[in-house]
Amino acid sequence: MKRIITIQDISCVGKCSLTVALPIISAMGVEACVLPTAVLSTHTAFKGFTFRDLTSDIQPICDHWKQEKIHFDAIYTGYLGSFEQLDLMHKLISDFGGKDTLTIVDPCMADNGKLYPGFTQEFAFAMAKLCGKADVIVPNLTEASFMLGIEYKANGYDEDYIKGILKDLVKLGAKKVVLKGVEFEEDQKDLKGVKGKIGIASYDAQTDEFKWYFHEKCPQSFHGTGDIFASVLTGALMRGKTLEQSYSLAADYVVQSIKETLSHKDYNWYGVDFEAAMPYLIKRIN
């Protein structure tokens, strides 16, 4: 069985970060080891949440793993809350990465044209350096724009614009880019049938291939769906799926989870019912 380590925070209530990564990756038949960067009573959309920083625990944990000669088949980083944690991830990748270990970085720091509270442009550039150590990065369009230091465009862009962003992202050092939240206002020359849909654009620097995957746009957005996406992507790659198969499955599972949530009159506002969609995921991965 493949073994991965995922490094991000854990919210005791709130379907995001480790509370989705651990069950999803485990359900996909992959051993999911965790390194919590912080513990929160709830995720940050709640008011009055508690927060305990675990930065000082990261290196001692890694030192123990090195002592035990533990090997990981993949390193998957999610939300990282400080420059110090970014620096620790550089060391972790150096210590546990290598040709037999896939490194996946989800630069969780922004959405809808804005950085999350507490983050700055300087932090975005530092995150870009971490992305340079990755085999696969999975930013959304906002995060890509901040890492590249360019103006965010919510709309009005075309296929060539997205291709340019993808090529600029691999110049950071990453081998493959999966760009989320691509949405064209009108049909593009080579992308017929994407109007009214949202999806993914990917680029493989080694093969110089661009690929696209579009799906229906759900009427409601929820906290934590990006974490679900990255977790499914990681699990699928560990199960031997191609990058395109992995992000297509991840996108479909997010959509399925949102549909399950919206099927209930009094649905949870703080996250999607990904648990109810687990049979769909397991059937697809097998």
Side-chain angles (χ1 to χ4, degrees):
M1 180 181 288
K2 297 287 187 178
R3 176 194 294 132
I4 71 105
I5 173 64
T6 179
I7 308 101
Q8 47 192 311
D9 64 283
I10 184 164
S11 295
C12 300
V13 173
K15 303 181 183 188
C16 63
S17 302
L18 287 182
T19 52
V20 300
L22 180 56
I24 286 173
I25 293 169
S26 298
M28 297 177 76
V30 177
E31 181 182 351
C33 304
V34 301
L35 180 50
T37 57
V39 178
L40 294 82
S41 56
T42 66
H43 64 54
T44 56
F46 288 83
K47 294 180 180 179
F49 60 88
T50 66
F51 177 90
R52 181 173 295 276
D53 190 299
L54 298 179
T55 302
S56 61
D57 294 299
I58 292 175
Q59 194 54 54
I61 290 171
C62 291
D63 290 342
H64 182 225
W65 288 343
K66 286 180 68 177
Q67 180 182 324
E68 294 296 322
K69 297 181 171 54
I70 295 173
H71 171 76
F72 300 108
D73 296 292
I75 298 167
Y76 155 36
T77 70
Y79 183 95
L80 301 168
S82 67
F83 288 98
E84 185 179 358
Q85 288 186 358
L86 288 177
D87 290 341
L88 286 166
M89 291 308 101
H90 281 279
K91 179 168 174 47
L92 186 148
I93 291 169
S94 296
D95 288 344
F96 296 97
K99 64 179 181 179
D100 296 327
T101 300
L102 190 72
T103 299
I104 301 156
V105 173
D106 182 6
C108 302
M109 61 179 176
D111 203 1
N112 297 316
K114 296 180 180 179
L115 287 163
Y116 295 154
F119 289 146
T120 63
Q121 181 62 66
E122 185 183 6
F123 184 87
F125 287 146
M127 178 64 80
K129 291 182 180 179
L130 181 64
C131 285
K133 296 284 185 72
D135 296 295
V136 182
I137 61 174
V138 289
N140 59 38
L141 195 51
T142 300
E143 291 157 346
S145 300
F146 275 107
M147 288 195 294
L148 295 175
I150 62 175
E151 181 182 358
Y152 166 71
K153 286 187 178 184
N155 49 50
Y157 50 78
D158 58 16
E159 182 183 345
D160 287 338
Y161 176 79
I162 296 299
K163 285 183 174 179
I165 284 184
L166 290 168
K167 284 214 165 188
D168 286 342
L169 286 170
V170 299
K171 289 177 184 177
L172 298 175
K175 298 179 179 67
K176 299 177 182 180
V177 180
V178 176
L179 183 64
K180 304 174 292 183
V182 176
E183 185 177 11
F184 295 110
E185 292 182 322
E186 56 185 45
D187 293 344
Q188 300 299 307
K189 180 179 179 181
D190 297 321
L191 298 171
K192 295 299 182 182
V194 304
K195 188 176 182 180
K197 295 185 177 182
I198 193 167
I200 295 115
S202 69
Y203 179 62
D204 186 330
Q206 295 170 313
T207 62
D208 194 32
E209 285 185 294
F210 296 95
K211 293 188 178 180
W212 313 81
Y213 182 72
F214 290 90
H215 55 82
E216 65 180 293
K217 185 177 181 180
C218 295
Q220 179 79 18
S221 61
F222 288 91
H223 195 94
T225 51
D227 301 327
I228 293 171
F229 180 93
S231 298
V232 174
L233 175 86
T234 300
L237 289 172
M238 290 297 96
R239 289 294 302 272
K241 303 297 184 183
T242 66
L243 183 65
E244 188 175 18
Q245 289 171 332
S246 299
Y247 64 66
S248 299
L249 173 58
D252 291 346
Y253 180 59
V254 168
V255 170
Q256 191 69 21
S257 297
I258 293 174
K259 286 182 175 180
E260 288 282 358
T261 308
L262 296 177
S263 69
H264 305 293
K265 181 180 178 181
D266 299 318
Y267 58 80
N268 289 324
W269 64 269
Y270 58 83
V272 296
D273 295 341
F274 72 93
E275 302 94 335
M278 278 284 192
Y280 171 87
L281 175 63
I282 294 170
K283 183 178 180 181
R284 283 281 302 268
I285 197 66
N286 291 324

